[in-house]
Amino acid sequence: AGLCREYSEEAMPGGAALLSGVAGGVRGQAAAPPVADPRGGQPVAVVRKPCALGSLLTLHSVVLVTALCMFAWASGKASESHFLGGLSPGGPRLFNWHPVLMTWGFCLLTEGAVAYRGLRFTRHGRRMRVHWALMSAGIACWLLGLVAVGVAGEEHLRSTHSWVGLATLCLASFQFLLGLLVFLRPGSSFSLKRRLYPLHTALGVSTVVVASAAVLTGIDHKTSAIGCTSAEGRTALQGCQLAGLVALLVVLVSVLAVYVLYNLKQQRTSAPRRQAGDEAAGAVSRAAGGESPSALGTADHVPLTPRVCPG
């Protein structure tokens, strides 16, 4: 699998840009020993980040458990145990869809943020479609959750949770429109994508963090409203404890998402391309003065300074 990277000429003066890792593949070494510059430069230490596959799988598992636990808390009908009392398409229990849909939207947006970089060994177009589909589903859940609040006749913008939730929805909507009009629109210029890519990435991580704050303040607001702060007895605390577990899982999801996104940013790869691999092997051979690529070691040890490129 090739690395979508650009290389500066600081480590190899006058050298051409090479695609390191295409010919040799990504092995996931934490670090490689310093390699001498074949043109007389200083030795360069080539660093490889450890693979974030374990963290990625953990994140998927925690996201699934979070969605299920919130559904269990809302659908529980034992009101004396401080569950929310069940879900219904109408009536007084309609509002209980709001925390469920909002939490599901948070989970889907988190998965969408990770999907673009997590699906490293698929084609770029497929990663974009998966990313866009998950983001669309997450925002749809949020909109349905707001509809549940409006139909249930609940008061609006009376709490910290309401304002944080509104800020989250505005940020996510801006992100969605930015991705749709710039990165997904056919014919959009590469230079524009390159300039806006850091902004889109930073706002994406910020959206995950702010959305987790909205869910946490919502759980706190709801547990206070149903009397968890004054509940006594093991049976009465069951629903409150489940709500607390959901809050802990939401925190864990946001922390794992930021960690995984940071690590995958260092390891972004594209789908294998035979032509790119041939060009990289030929460039390495030319850099060595006609020697074979093996004379320089594997492509993981090419003495170059990498810089991740967008797209």
Side-chain angles (χ1 to χ4, degrees):
L3 292 175
C4 179
R5 297 186 174 193
E6 293 178 353
Y7 293 88
S8 67
E9 297 183 358
E10 298 173 358
M12 184 180 290
L18 307 180
L19 294 176
S20 172
V22 177
V26 179
R27 294 170 177 80
Q29 292 95 338
V35 181
D37 187 345
R39 297 194 178 189
Q42 296 297 323
V44 179
V46 180
V47 179
R48 287 284 182 264
K49 284 282 185 179
C51 182
L53 180 59
S55 301
L56 189 61
L57 294 177
T58 303
L59 174 62
H60 294 327
S61 302
V62 176
V63 164
L64 179 60
V65 174
T66 303
L68 294 177
C69 286
M70 175 55 77
F71 181 80
W73 183 44
S75 60
K77 297 184 179 180
S79 57
E80 66 277 2
S81 299
H82 293 90
F83 288 89
L84 297 188
L87 300 167
S88 64
R93 303 302 180 189
L94 176 62
F95 178 80
N96 291 342
W97 280 105
H98 174 72
V100 173
L101 291 171
M102 290 306 194
T103 303
W104 286 0
F106 164 72
C107 293
L108 288 170
L109 261 71
T110 302
E111 288 287 352
V114 173
Y116 180 72
R117 288 177 177 167
L119 300 175
R120 296 176 297 167
F121 302 108
T122 60
R123 294 184 179 275
H124 177 264
R126 183 175 300 174
R127 286 189 289 136
M128 287 284 289
R129 288 191 293 270
V130 173
H131 173 72
W132 180 81
L134 289 172
M135 289 296 183
S136 301
I139 292 181
C141 283
W142 281 357
L143 293 177
L144 290 175
L146 291 178
V147 170
V149 174
V151 175
E154 295 289 332
E155 297 180 348
H156 308 299
L157 303 179
R158 295 293 186 89
S159 63
T160 303
H161 165 66
S162 301
W163 288 102
V164 175
L166 179 62
T168 305
L169 185 62
C170 292
L171 185 59
S173 300
F174 175 78
Q175 274 286 85
F176 182 81
L177 292 176
L178 179 63
L180 185 64
L181 298 178
V182 175
F183 296 96
L184 200 63
R185 181 175 63 88
S188 182
S189 66
F190 178 77
S191 60
L192 179 62
K193 294 179 181 179
R194 185 171 185 174
R195 287 196 301 268
L196 293 180
Y197 180 79
L199 174 65
H200 189 62
T201 302
L203 290 181
V205 177
S206 302
T207 302
V208 172
V209 175
V210 177
S212 66
V215 176
L216 292 174
T217 54
I219 292 175
D220 179 70
H221 180 74
K222 192 61 179 179
T223 52
S224 300
I226 63 178
C228 281
T229 55
S230 59
E232 296 181 358
R234 183 175 180 180
T235 303
L237 288 173
Q238 289 179 354
C240 301
Q241 291 172 345
L242 183 57
L245 175 61
V246 174
L248 289 176
L249 291 172
V250 169
V251 173
L252 184 58
V253 167
S254 59
V255 171
L256 283 173
V258 173
Y259 175 77
V260 168
L261 287 172
Y262 173 78
N263 277 274
L264 291 179
K265 182 179 181 180
Q266 313 300 322
Q267 306 181 46
R268 294 189 59 202
T269 59
S270 62
R273 293 187 176 91
R274 182 182 300 273
Q275 180 180 359
D278 295 340
E279 292 176 357
V284 172
S285 178
R286 290 191 298 272
E291 298 179 13
S292 64
S294 60
L296 292 177
T298 63
D300 287 338
H301 297 152
V302 176
L304 300 170
T305 303
R307 177 163 57 88
V308 178
C309 65

